[in-house]
Coordinates of all heavy atoms in Angstrom, one line a residue:
M1 N 18.9 -7.1 -2.0 CA 17.9 -6.1 -2.1 C 18.5 -4.8 -1.8 O 19.2 -4.5 -0.9 CB 16.8 -6.5 -1.0 CG 15.8 -5.5 -0.9 SD 14.4 -6.0 0.2 CE 15.0 -7.2 1.3
T2 N 18.2 -3.9 -2.7 CA 18.8 -2.5 -2.6 C 17.8 -1.6 -1.8 O 16.7 -2.0 -1.6 CB 19.0 -1.9 -4.0 OG1 17.8 -1.7 -4.6 CG2 20.0 -2.7 -4.8
L3 N 18.3 -0.5 -1.4 CA 17.5 0.4 -0.6 C 16.2 0.8 -1.3 O 15.2 1.1 -0.7 CB 18.4 1.6 -0.2 CG 17.8 2.4 1.0 CD1 17.6 1.6 2.2 CD2 18.8 3.6 1.3
T4 N 16.3 1.0 -2.6 CA 15.2 1.5 -3.4 C 14.1 0.5 -3.5 O 12.9 0.8 -3.9 CB 15.6 2.0 -4.8 OG1 16.2 0.9 -5.4 CG2 16.5 3.1 -4.7
T5 N 14.3 -0.8 -3.3 CA 13.3 -1.8 -3.4 C 12.6 -2.2 -2.0 O 11.7 -2.9 -2.0 CB 13.9 -3.2 -4.0 OG1 14.9 -3.7 -3.1 CG2 14.4 -2.9 -5.4
R6 N 13.1 -1.6 -1.0 CA 12.5 -1.9 0.3 C 11.3 -1.1 0.5 O 11.1 0.0 0.0 CB 13.5 -1.5 1.4 CG 14.7 -2.4 1.5 CD 15.5 -2.2 2.7 NE 16.6 -3.2 2.7 CZ 17.7 -3.0 3.3 NH1 18.0 -1.9 3.9 NH2 18.6 -4.0 3.2
L7 N 10.4 -1.7 1.3 CA 9.2 -1.0 1.7 C 9.4 -0.2 2.9 O 10.1 -0.7 3.8 CB 8.0 -2.0 1.9 CG 7.6 -2.9 0.7 CD1 6.6 -3.9 1.2 CD2 7.1 -2.1 -0.4
D8 N 8.8 1.0 3.0 CA 8.9 1.7 4.3 C 7.7 1.3 5.1 O 6.8 0.6 4.7 CB 9.1 3.2 4.1 CG 7.9 3.9 3.4 OD1 6.7 3.3 3.4 OD2 8.1 4.9 2.7
Q9 N 7.6 1.8 6.3 CA 6.6 1.5 7.2 C 5.2 1.9 6.7 O 4.2 1.2 6.9 CB 6.8 2.1 8.6 CG 8.0 1.4 9.3 CD 8.2 2.0 10.7 OE1 8.1 3.2 10.8 NE2 8.6 1.2 11.6
A10 N 5.1 3.0 6.1 CA 3.8 3.5 5.5 C 3.3 2.6 4.4 O 2.2 2.3 4.3 CB 4.0 4.9 5.0
Q11 N 4.3 2.1 3.6 CA 3.9 1.3 2.5 C 3.4 -0.1 3.0 O 2.4 -0.6 2.5 CB 5.0 1.0 1.5 CG 5.4 2.3 0.8 CD 6.7 2.1 0.0 OE1 7.4 1.1 0.0 NE2 7.1 3.2 -0.7
V12 N 4.0 -0.6 4.0 CA 3.6 -1.9 4.7 C 2.2 -1.7 5.3 O 1.4 -2.5 5.2 CB 4.6 -2.3 5.7 CG1 4.1 -3.5 6.5 CG2 6.0 -2.7 5.0
A13 N 2.0 -0.6 5.9 CA 0.7 -0.3 6.6 C -0.4 -0.2 5.6 O -1.5 -0.7 5.8 CB 0.8 1.0 7.4
V14 N -0.1 0.4 4.4 CA -1.1 0.5 3.4 C -1.4 -0.9 2.8 O -2.6 -1.3 2.6 CB -0.7 1.4 2.2 CG1 -1.6 1.3 1.0 CG2 -0.7 2.9 2.7
L15 N -0.4 -1.7 2.5 CA -0.6 -3.1 2.0 C -1.4 -3.9 3.0 O -2.3 -4.6 2.7 CB 0.7 -3.7 1.7 CG 1.5 -3.3 0.5 CD1 2.8 -4.0 0.3 CD2 0.6 -3.5 -0.8
A16 N -1.0 -3.8 4.3 CA -1.7 -4.5 5.4 C -3.2 -4.1 5.5 O -4.1 -5.0 5.7 CB -1.0 -4.3 6.7
S17 N -3.5 -2.8 5.2 CA -4.9 -2.4 5.3 C -5.7 -3.0 4.1 O -6.9 -3.2 4.3 CB -4.9 -0.9 5.2 OG -4.4 -0.3 6.3
L18 N -5.0 -3.2 3.0 CA -5.7 -3.7 1.8 C -5.7 -5.2 1.7 O -6.5 -5.8 1.0 CB -5.1 -3.1 0.5 CG -5.3 -1.6 0.3 CD1 -4.4 -1.1 -0.8 CD2 -6.8 -1.3 0.1
A19 N -4.8 -5.9 2.5 CA -4.6 -7.3 2.4 C -5.9 -8.2 2.7 O -6.0 -9.2 2.0 CB -3.5 -7.7 3.3
P20 N -6.7 -7.8 3.6 CA -7.9 -8.7 3.8 C -8.9 -8.7 2.7 O -9.9 -9.4 2.8 CB -8.6 -8.0 5.1 CG -7.5 -7.2 5.7 CD -6.6 -6.7 4.6
G21 N -8.6 -8.0 1.6 CA -9.5 -8.1 0.4 C -10.3 -6.8 0.3 O -11.2 -6.7 -0.5
G22 N -9.8 -5.8 1.0 CA -10.5 -4.5 1.0 C -10.3 -3.7 -0.3 O -9.2 -3.8 -0.9
I23 N -11.3 -3.0 -0.7 CA -11.2 -2.0 -1.8 C -11.5 -0.7 -1.2 O -12.7 -0.4 -0.9 CB -12.1 -2.4 -3.0 CG1 -11.8 -3.8 -3.5 CG2 -12.0 -1.4 -4.1 CD1 -12.8 -4.3 -4.5
L24 N -10.5 0.1 -0.9 CA -10.7 1.3 -0.1 C -10.2 2.5 -0.8 O -9.3 2.5 -1.6 CB -9.9 1.1 1.2 CG -10.2 -0.1 2.1 CD1 -9.2 -0.2 3.2 CD2 -11.6 0.0 2.6
G25 N -10.8 3.7 -0.4 CA -10.3 5.0 -0.8 C -9.2 5.4 0.0 O -8.9 4.8 1.1
V26 N -8.5 6.5 -0.4 CA -7.3 6.9 0.4 C -7.7 7.3 1.8 O -7.0 7.0 2.7 CB -6.7 8.1 -0.4 CG1 -5.5 8.7 0.5 CG2 -6.1 7.7 -1.7
E27 N -8.8 7.9 2.0 CA -9.2 8.3 3.4 C -9.4 7.1 4.3 O -9.0 7.1 5.4 CB -10.6 9.1 3.3 CG -10.5 10.4 2.6 CD -10.7 10.3 1.1 OE1 -11.1 9.1 0.6 OE2 -10.6 11.2 0.3
S28 N -10.1 6.1 3.7 CA -10.3 4.8 4.5 C -8.9 4.1 4.8 O -8.7 3.6 5.9 CB -11.2 3.9 3.8 OG -12.5 4.5 3.6
I29 N -8.0 4.2 3.8 CA -6.7 3.5 4.0 C -6.0 4.3 5.1 O -5.4 3.7 6.0 CB -5.9 3.5 2.7 CG1 -6.6 2.6 1.7 CG2 -4.5 3.1 3.0 CD1 -6.0 2.8 0.3
A30 N -6.0 5.6 5.1 CA -5.3 6.4 6.1 C -5.8 6.1 7.5 O -5.1 6.0 8.4 CB -5.5 7.9 5.7
Q31 N -7.1 6.0 7.6 CA -7.7 5.7 8.9 C -7.4 4.3 9.4 O -7.0 4.1 10.5 CB -9.2 5.8 8.8 CG -9.9 5.7 10.1 CD -11.4 5.9 10.0 OE1 -12.0 5.9 8.9 NE2 -12.1 6.1 11.1
S32 N -7.5 3.3 8.5 CA -7.1 1.9 8.8 C -5.7 1.8 9.2 O -5.3 1.0 10.1 CB -7.5 1.0 7.6 OG -7.1 -0.3 7.9
A33 N -4.8 2.4 8.4 CA -3.4 2.3 8.6 C -2.8 3.3 9.7 O -1.6 3.2 10.0 CB -2.6 2.6 7.3
Q34 N -3.7 4.1 10.1 CA -3.3 5.1 11.1 C -2.1 6.0 10.6 O -1.1 6.2 11.3 CB -3.0 4.5 12.5 CG -4.1 3.8 13.1 CD -3.8 3.1 14.4 OE1 -2.7 2.9 14.8 NE2 -4.9 2.7 15.1
L35 N -2.3 6.5 9.4 CA -1.3 7.4 8.8 C -2.0 8.7 8.5 O -3.2 8.8 8.3 CB -0.8 6.7 7.5 CG -0.1 5.4 7.6 CD1 0.1 4.8 6.2 CD2 1.2 5.6 8.3
T36 N -1.1 9.7 8.3 CA -1.6 11.0 7.8 C -2.0 10.9 6.3 O -1.6 9.9 5.6 CB -0.6 12.1 7.9 OG1 0.5 11.8 7.1 CG2 -0.1 12.3 9.4
M37 N -2.8 11.8 5.8 CA -3.2 11.7 4.4 C -2.0 11.9 3.5 O -1.9 11.2 2.5 CB -4.3 12.8 4.1 CG -5.6 12.5 4.7 SD -6.4 11.0 4.0 CE -6.7 11.6 2.3
W38 N -1.1 12.7 3.9 CA 0.1 12.9 3.1 C 0.9 11.6 2.9 O 1.3 11.2 1.9 CB 1.0 14.1 3.7 CG 2.1 14.4 2.8 CD1 2.1 15.3 1.8 CD2 3.4 13.8 2.8 NE1 3.4 15.3 1.2 CE2 4.2 14.4 1.8 CE3 4.1 12.8 3.6 CZ2 5.5 14.1 1.5 CZ3 5.4 12.5 3.3 CH2 6.1 13.1 2.3
R39 N 1.2 11.0 4.1 CA 2.0 9.7 4.1 C 1.2 8.6 3.3 O 1.8 7.8 2.6 CB 2.3 9.3 5.5 CG 3.4 10.1 6.1 CD 3.9 9.5 7.4 NE 4.8 8.4 7.0 CZ 5.1 7.5 7.9 NH1 4.7 7.5 9.1 NH2 5.9 6.5 7.5
T40 N -0.1 8.6 3.4 CA -0.9 7.6 2.8 C -0.8 7.8 1.2 O -0.6 6.9 0.5 CB -2.4 7.7 3.2 OG1 -2.4 7.5 4.6 CG2 -3.2 6.6 2.6
R41 N -1.1 9.1 0.8 CA -1.0 9.3 -0.6 C 0.4 9.0 -1.2 O 0.5 8.4 -2.3 CB -1.3 10.8 -0.9 CG -2.8 11.1 -0.8 CD -3.1 12.6 -1.2 NE -4.4 12.9 -0.9 CZ -4.8 13.8 0.0 NH1 -3.9 14.4 0.7 NH2 -6.0 14.1 0.2
S42 N 1.4 9.4 -0.5 CA 2.8 9.1 -0.9 C 3.0 7.6 -1.1 O 3.5 7.1 -2.1 CB 3.8 9.7 0.0 OG 5.1 9.3 -0.3
A43 N 2.6 6.8 -0.1 CA 2.7 5.4 -0.1 C 1.9 4.7 -1.2 O 2.4 3.8 -1.9 CB 2.3 4.8 1.3
V44 N 0.7 5.2 -1.4 CA -0.2 4.7 -2.5 C 0.5 4.9 -3.8 O 0.5 4.0 -4.7 CB -1.6 5.3 -2.4 CG1 -2.4 5.2 -3.7 CG2 -2.4 4.8 -1.2
L45 N 1.0 6.1 -4.1 CA 1.6 6.4 -5.3 C 2.8 5.5 -5.6 O 3.0 4.9 -6.7 CB 2.1 7.8 -5.4 CG 0.9 8.8 -5.6 CD1 1.5 10.3 -5.5 CD2 0.2 8.6 -6.9
K46 N 3.7 5.3 -4.6 CA 4.8 4.4 -4.7 C 4.4 3.0 -4.9 O 5.0 2.3 -5.8 CB 5.7 4.5 -3.4 CG 6.4 5.8 -3.3 CD 7.2 5.9 -2.0 CE 7.7 7.3 -1.7 NZ 8.3 7.4 -0.4
L47 N 3.4 2.5 -4.2 CA 3.0 1.1 -4.4 C 2.3 0.9 -5.7 O 2.5 -0.2 -6.3 CB 2.0 0.7 -3.2 CG 2.6 0.7 -1.8 CD1 1.5 0.6 -0.8 CD2 3.6 -0.5 -1.7
S48 N 1.6 1.8 -6.2 CA 0.9 1.8 -7.5 C 2.0 1.7 -8.6 O 1.8 0.9 -9.5 CB 0.0 3.0 -7.7 OG -0.5 3.0 -8.9
S49 N 3.0 2.5 -8.5 CA 4.0 2.6 -9.5 C 4.8 1.3 -9.6 O 5.4 0.9 -10.6 CB 5.0 3.7 -9.3 OG 5.8 3.5 -8.2
R50 N 4.8 0.5 -8.5 CA 5.5 -0.8 -8.5 C 4.6 -1.9 -8.8 O 5.0 -3.1 -8.8 CB 6.2 -1.0 -7.1 CG 7.3 0.1 -6.8 CD 7.7 0.0 -5.4 NE 8.4 -1.2 -5.1 CZ 8.9 -1.5 -3.9 NH1 8.7 -0.7 -2.9 NH2 9.5 -2.7 -3.7
G51 N 3.3 -1.7 -9.0 CA 2.4 -2.7 -9.3 C 1.9 -3.6 -8.2 O 1.4 -4.7 -8.3
L52 N 2.1 -3.0 -6.9 CA 1.7 -3.7 -5.8 C 0.2 -3.5 -5.4 O -0.4 -4.3 -4.7 CB 2.6 -3.4 -4.6 CG 4.1 -3.7 -4.8 CD1 4.9 -3.3 -3.6 CD2 4.3 -5.1 -5.2
I53 N -0.3 -2.4 -5.8 CA -1.7 -2.1 -5.7 C -2.2 -1.5 -7.0 O -1.4 -1.0 -7.8 CB -2.0 -1.1 -4.5 CG1 -1.4 0.3 -4.8 CG2 -1.6 -1.7 -3.2 CD1 -1.8 1.3 -3.7
V54 N -3.5 -1.6 -7.2 CA -4.1 -1.1 -8.5 C -5.3 -0.2 -8.1 O -6.0 -0.5 -7.2 CB -4.5 -2.3 -9.4 CG1 -5.6 -3.1 -8.8 CG2 -5.0 -1.8 -10.7
G55 N -5.4 0.9 -8.9 CA -6.5 1.8 -8.6 C -7.6 1.7 -9.6 O -7.4 1.3 -10.8
R56 N -8.8 2.1 -9.2 CA -9.9 2.1 -10.1 C -10.8 3.3 -9.7 O -10.6 3.9 -8.7 CB -10.8 0.9 -9.8 CG -10.1 -0.5 -10.0 CD -11.1 -1.6 -10.0 NE -10.6 -2.9 -9.7 CZ -9.6 -3.5 -10.4 NH1 -8.9 -2.9 -11.3 NH2 -9.2 -4.8 -10.1
R57 N -11.7 3.7 -10.6 CA -12.6 4.8 -10.3 C -14.0 4.2 -10.1 O -14.5 3.4 -10.8 CB -12.7 5.7 -11.5 CG -11.5 6.6 -11.7 CD -11.8 7.9 -11.0 NE -10.6 8.8 -11.1 CZ -10.3 9.6 -10.1 NH1 -10.9 9.6 -9.0 NH2 -9.2 10.3 -10.3
R58 N -14.6 4.6 -9.0 CA -16.0 4.2 -8.7 C -16.7 5.4 -8.2 O -16.3 6.0 -7.2 CB -16.0 3.1 -7.7 CG -17.4 2.6 -7.4 CD -17.5 1.4 -6.5 NE -16.9 0.2 -7.2 CZ -16.5 -0.9 -6.6 NH1 -16.6 -1.0 -5.3 NH2 -16.0 -1.9 -7.3
G59 N -17.7 5.8 -8.9 CA -18.5 7.0 -8.4 C -17.7 8.3 -8.4 O -18.0 9.1 -7.6
G60 N -16.7 8.4 -9.3 CA -15.9 9.6 -9.4 C -14.8 9.6 -8.3 O -14.1 10.6 -8.3
R61 N -14.7 8.6 -7.6 CA -13.6 8.5 -6.5 C -12.7 7.4 -6.8 O -13.1 6.4 -7.3 CB -14.3 8.3 -5.2 CG -15.2 9.5 -4.8 CD -15.6 9.4 -3.4 NE -14.4 9.6 -2.6 CZ -14.4 9.6 -1.3 NH1 -15.6 9.6 -0.6 NH2 -13.3 9.8 -0.6
G62 N -11.4 7.6 -6.4 CA -10.4 6.6 -6.6 C -10.5 5.6 -5.5 O -10.6 5.9 -4.3
I63 N -10.4 4.3 -5.8 CA -10.3 3.2 -4.8 C -9.1 2.3 -5.2 O -8.7 2.3 -6.3 CB -11.6 2.4 -4.8 CG1 -12.0 1.8 -6.2 CG2 -12.8 3.2 -4.2 CD1 -13.1 0.9 -6.2
W64 N -8.6 1.7 -4.2 CA -7.4 0.9 -4.3 C -7.6 -0.5 -3.9 O -8.3 -0.8 -2.9 CB -6.3 1.6 -3.6 CG -6.0 3.0 -4.1 CD1 -6.6 4.1 -3.7 CD2 -5.2 3.3 -5.2 NE1 -6.1 5.2 -4.4 CE2 -5.3 4.7 -5.4 CE3 -4.4 2.6 -6.1 CZ2 -4.6 5.3 -6.4 CZ3 -3.7 3.2 -7.1 CH2 -3.8 4.6 -7.2
E65 N -6.9 -1.4 -4.5 CA -6.9 -2.8 -4.2 C -5.5 -3.4 -4.3 O -4.8 -3.1 -5.2 CB -7.9 -3.5 -5.2 CG -8.1 -5.0 -5.0 CD -9.1 -5.5 -6.0 OE1 -9.5 -4.8 -7.0 OE2 -9.6 -6.7 -5.8
I66 N -5.2 -4.3 -3.4 CA -3.9 -5.0 -3.5 C -3.9 -6.0 -4.6 O -4.9 -6.7 -4.9 CB -3.6 -5.6 -2.1 CG1 -2.1 -6.0 -2.0 CG2 -4.5 -6.8 -1.8 CD1 -1.7 -6.4 -0.6
T67 N -2.7 -6.2 -5.2 CA -2.6 -7.2 -6.3 C -2.0 -8.4 -5.7 O -1.5 -8.4 -4.5 CB -1.6 -6.6 -7.4 OG1 -0.3 -6.4 -6.8 CG2 -2.2 -5.4 -8.0
D68 N -1.9 -9.5 -6.5 CA -1.3 -10.7 -6.0 C 0.2 -10.5 -5.7 O 0.7 -11.0 -4.7 CB -1.4 -11.8 -7.1 CG -2.9 -12.4 -7.2 OD1 -3.6 -12.2 -6.2 OD2 -3.2 -12.9 -8.2
R69 N 0.8 -9.7 -6.5 CA 2.2 -9.3 -6.3 C 2.4 -8.6 -5.0 O 3.3 -8.8 -4.2 CB 2.7 -8.5 -7.5 CG 4.1 -8.1 -7.4 CD 4.6 -7.3 -8.6 NE 5.9 -6.9 -8.4 CZ 6.5 -5.9 -9.2 NH1 5.8 -5.4 -10.2 NH2 7.7 -5.6 -8.9
G70 N 1.4 -7.7 -4.7 CA 1.4 -7.0 -3.4 C 1.3 -7.9 -2.2 O 1.9 -7.7 -1.2
R71 N 0.4 -8.9 -2.4 CA 0.3 -9.9 -1.3 C 1.6 -10.7 -1.0 O 2.0 -10.9 0.1 CB -0.9 -10.8 -1.6 CG -2.2 -10.3 -1.5 CD -3.3 -11.3 -1.8 NE -4.5 -10.7 -2.1 CZ -5.4 -10.1 -1.3 NH1 -5.0 -10.1 0.0 NH2 -6.5 -9.5 -1.7
R72 N 2.2 -11.1 -2.1 CA 3.5 -11.8 -2.0 C 4.5 -10.9 -1.4 O 5.3 -11.4 -0.5 CB 3.9 -12.3 -3.3 CG 3.1 -13.5 -3.9 CD 3.8 -14.2 -5.1 NE 4.0 -13.2 -6.2 CZ 3.2 -12.9 -7.1 NH1 2.0 -13.5 -7.2 NH2 3.5 -12.1 -8.1
T73 N 4.6 -9.7 -1.8 CA 5.6 -8.8 -1.3 C 5.3 -8.5 0.2 O 6.3 -8.5 1.0 CB 5.6 -7.4 -2.0 OG1 5.8 -7.7 -3.4 CG2 6.6 -6.4 -1.5
L74 N 4.1 -8.3 0.6 CA 3.8 -8.1 2.0 C 4.2 -9.3 2.9 O 4.7 -9.2 3.9 CB 2.3 -7.8 2.2 CG 1.8 -7.6 3.6 CD1 2.5 -6.4 4.2 CD2 0.3 -7.5 3.6
S75 N 3.9 -10.5 2.3 CA 4.2 -11.7 3.1 C 5.7 -12.0 3.3 O 6.2 -12.5 4.3 CB 3.5 -12.9 2.5 OG 4.1 -13.3 1.3
T76 N 6.5 -11.5 2.3 CA 8.0 -11.7 2.4 C 8.7 -10.6 3.0 O 9.6 -10.8 3.8 CB 8.5 -12.1 1.0 OG1 8.3 -11.0 0.1 CG2 8.0 -13.4 0.5
R77 N 8.4 -9.4 2.5 CA 9.2 -8.2 3.0 C 8.5 -7.4 4.1 O 9.2 -6.8 4.9 CB 9.4 -7.2 1.8 CG 10.2 -7.8 0.7 CD 10.5 -6.8 -0.3 NE 11.1 -7.4 -1.5 CZ 11.2 -6.9 -2.6 NH1 10.7 -5.8 -2.9 NH2 11.8 -7.6 -3.6
G78 N 7.2 -7.5 4.2 CA 6.5 -6.7 5.2 C 6.7 -7.1 6.6 O 6.5 -6.4 7.5
R79 N 7.0 -8.4 6.8 CA 7.2 -8.9 8.1 C 8.2 -8.2 8.9 O 8.2 -8.2 10.1 CB 7.4 -10.4 8.1 CG 8.7 -10.8 7.5 CD 9.0 -12.3 7.6 NE 10.1 -12.7 6.8 CZ 10.1 -13.3 5.7 NH1 9.0 -13.7 5.2 NH2 11.3 -13.6 5.1
Y80 N 9.2 -7.6 8.2 CA 10.3 -6.9 8.9 C 9.8 -5.6 9.6 O 10.5 -5.1 10.5 CB 11.4 -6.6 8.0 CG 12.0 -7.8 7.4 CD1 11.8 -8.1 6.0 CD2 12.7 -8.7 8.1 CE1 12.4 -9.2 5.5 CE2 13.2 -9.9 7.6 CZ 13.1 -10.1 6.2 OH 13.6 -11.3 5.7
Y81 N 8.7 -5.1 9.2 CA 8.2 -3.8 9.7 C 7.0 -4.0 10.7 O 6.6 -3.1 11.3 CB 7.8 -2.9 8.6 CG 8.9 -2.4 7.8 CD1 9.2 -3.0 6.6 CD2 9.8 -1.5 8.3 CE1 10.3 -2.6 5.8 CE2 10.9 -1.1 7.5 CZ 11.1 -1.6 6.3 OH 12.2 -1.2 5.5
Q82 N 6.4 -5.2 10.7 CA 5.2 -5.4 11.6 C 5.6 -5.8 12.9 O 6.6 -6.3 13.2 CB 4.3 -6.4 10.9 CG 3.7 -5.9 9.6 CD 2.8 -6.9 8.9 OE1 2.9 -8.1 9.2 NE2 2.0 -6.4 8.0

């Protein structure tokens, strides 16, 4: 595993916030993960680009949901940060 494929703590926190089946907006993710909005947005963008979470629009707002790939990644790689 190279350094570019590792999850950082913010990414793990975002995945963990979405793992129970939540479909959350960035503000709710930030609150749940106890991250700043900047770190949350950055983690969401990185996770989305890797296909670990997927975004949708509802009521003009973006919401995010973990993918099956994201769940597998959290269970295998995320344990090192929790």
Side-chain angles (χ1 to χ4, degrees):
M1 175 172 22
T2 65
L3 197 58
T4 57
T5 62
R6 291 191 178 153
L7 299 176
D8 63 27
Q9 289 177 324
Q11 292 171 358
V12 171
V14 169
L15 287 177
S17 294
L18 294 171
I23 301 173
L24 303 172
V26 174
E27 297 87 4
S28 298
I29 294 170
Q31 185 176 16
S32 175
Q34 298 180 344
L35 298 170
T36 64
M37 287 296 291
W38 186 89
R39 286 192 74 197
T40 303
R41 285 188 188 111
S42 176
V44 163
L45 289 173
K46 289 174 186 174
L47 293 168
S48 175
S49 70
R50 295 172 66 184
L52 302 179
I53 63 173
V54 63
R56 305 188 196 309
R57 285 263 179 222
R58 183 176 292 165
R61 298 190 65 175
I63 55 173
W64 298 92
E65 181 177 14
I66 193 169
T67 63
D68 289 337
R69 182 178 175 194
R71 288 182 199 285
R72 286 191 305 271
T73 300
L74 179 63
S75 70
T76 58
R77 295 183 189 165
R79 66 178 172 250
Y80 299 111
Y81 293 102
Q82 294 178 340

